[in-house]
Amino acid sequence: MDWTENFRNRLAEFLRAEQFIFNAPMFEYTTFKIGGAADVLIFPSSADDVSKIFRLVDEFKLPCVVLGNGSNVLVRDKGIRGVVVKFTEKFFGGMKCDGQRLVACAGAELRNVSMFAAENGLTGMEFAVGIPGSIGGAIFMNAGAYDGEMKNAVASVKAVNRNGELIEFNGASLQLGYRHSIFQENGCAICEVELILQRGNVEDIKRKMEDFTERRESKQPLDMPSAGSTFKRPKGHFAGTLIDKTGLKGLRVGGAMVSKKHAGFVVNTGGATAADVLNLIAEVKRRVNEAHGVMLSPEVRIIGEE
């Protein structure tokens, strides 16, 4: 018998109907607007939901992928087999502030966490105002911009492991480095993030955020779907600069194009497939390596069935 009907019935025991979608078109749930269907897409609203989902996934022996806002992800054209657990602001985005301590649920959008900190007179999250991800995804990638990164603000993280147990991580156990965290290896789903920030002047904080927003809007191709910066920063270089120097701005494969505004971004000009993007990435890597002897590696997370 097809597993989906039984799985659907079991999900309905503890989730509302709006919290899961079968045969979900992933292009609707990523900022790249690319990707085939996931067998099941689930939106948890608590750590308890996540725990029950992981236990059910284990019982049914299904593969399972965890996503935040879908802003640093390329889903392949054949989609994703098994389960996608997606953290969204709608279902799992609560925030609270207590002195210099700000606690956010994993689905809270980074921009809104940054704004919430500012409203409470807390400095240290201004850099994140323009990063189009969730706070959970930002910890997963140790997101950063304008000389700031999550590593400098996070105090602890509550996460659920694949056995459904709630675990707390802090300090060195988070293993935060350049675009890296322990969660890329351990399979845990980040559920809650505790930040410790500094007191600051609200007007100064907001001015800084406005400056970062202006700089981002003037330099980045925000009018087209993308997954943000496509490549990691190679040691001693900037990926965008190397790509620009190689004359690759505007290079296209199908609907995918190296942005004419910022060479570090691959954009979806309309109807791009994951294959288009992957072929373009491969060509950019080849030409940059040929011209400068530097091998770029993608920052974007590539998931799904080949």
Side-chain angles (χ1 to χ4, degrees):
M1 190 181 105
D2 182 13
W3 61 269
T4 56
E5 193 177 335
N6 195 7
F7 194 76
R8 184 193 298 271
N9 293 337
R10 296 289 296 280
L11 286 176
E13 291 172 8
F14 63 94
L15 297 177
R16 303 191 301 279
E18 61 179 347
Q19 283 182 263
F20 53 91
I21 301 168
F22 281 74
N23 199 31
M26 290 307 294
F27 68 85
E28 291 184 10
Y29 298 97
T30 66
T31 59
F32 229 150
K33 303 297 176 199
I34 291 172
D39 289 341
V40 195
L41 179 62
I42 307 176
F43 308 106
S45 62
S46 66
D48 187 51
D49 281 355
V50 178
S51 180
K52 286 174 179 170
I53 292 161
F54 278 173
R55 286 182 175 136
L56 199 56
V57 159
D58 184 57
E59 185 187 324
F60 278 73
K61 301 286 182 279
L62 296 171
C64 181
V65 173
V66 176
L67 286 186
N69 198 41
S71 60
N72 195 47
V73 172
L74 175 66
V75 177
R76 289 189 175 99
D77 298 316
K78 288 186 180 175
I80 303 171
R81 302 291 64 81
V83 173
V84 177
V85 178
K86 192 171 192 299
F87 290 82
T88 66
E89 191 156 83
K90 178 182 175 181
F91 292 106
F92 206 172
M95 290 181 276
K96 61 185 177 185
C97 196
D98 178 18
Q100 290 174 233
R101 184 172 166 267
L102 193 162
V103 177
C105 293
E109 288 182 21
L110 216 42
R111 171 183 170 76
N112 293 335
V113 175
S114 185
M115 301 286 279
F116 185 64
E119 284 157 14
N120 284 277
L122 296 174
T123 181
M125 281 296 288
E126 293 92 329
F127 74 90
V129 70
I131 299 174
S134 64
I135 186 86
I139 295 293
F140 183 87
M141 290 294 294
N142 186 26
Y146 303 115
D147 298 325
E149 59 180 347
M150 293 308 302
K151 182 181 180 179
N152 302 332
V154 63
S156 68
V157 172
K158 285 179 182 167
V160 172
N161 70 14
R162 292 303 171 111
N163 295 323
E165 302 157 334
L166 189 67
I167 304 172
E168 188 161 323
F169 296 81
N170 49 48
S173 70
L174 290 162
Q175 292 185 24
L176 296 172
Y178 176 64
R179 301 298 176 264
H180 179 267
S181 75
I182 186 63
F183 303 104
Q184 293 174 19
E185 277 92 50
N186 67 14
C188 292
I190 296 161
C191 291
E192 187 181 276
V193 177
E194 179 192 17
L195 308 175
I196 301 293
L197 303 169
Q198 304 306 311
R199 288 258 164 236
N201 177 279
V202 175
E203 292 310 311
D204 290 345
I205 294 166
K206 287 189 173 174
R207 248 194 308 275
K208 198 172 181 182
M209 285 162 65
E210 282 166 13
D211 174 48
F212 287 159
T213 300
E214 215 171 273
R215 281 156 69 176
R216 184 169 174 267
E217 286 174 351
S218 68
K219 291 176 183 172
Q220 295 182 12
L222 305 181
D223 57 331
M224 291 174 131
S226 79
S229 295
T230 306
F231 298 97
K232 289 179 182 174
R233 187 175 66 236
K235 204 169 181 180
H237 300 276
F238 291 101
T241 305
L242 288 173
I243 296 164
D244 195 3
K245 281 182 177 171
T246 315
L248 302 182
K249 272 185 176 176
L251 181 69
R252 294 177 73 116
V253 173
M257 181 179 78
V258 175
S259 168
K260 293 176 181 176
K261 193 171 186 180
H262 189 310
F265 287 67
V266 168
V267 295
N268 178 359
T269 64
T273 64
D276 291 342
V277 174
L278 292 170
N279 288 332
L280 183 56
I281 285 172
E283 185 61 13
V284 168
K285 283 173 66 176
R286 186 186 71 75
R287 293 203 203 177
V288 166
N289 189 42
E290 205 173 75
H292 305 283
V294 177
M295 184 54 80
L296 298 175
S297 60
E299 182 176 312
V300 62
R301 190 175 157 213
I302 300 157
I303 58 174
E305 195 173 40
E306 290 197 55

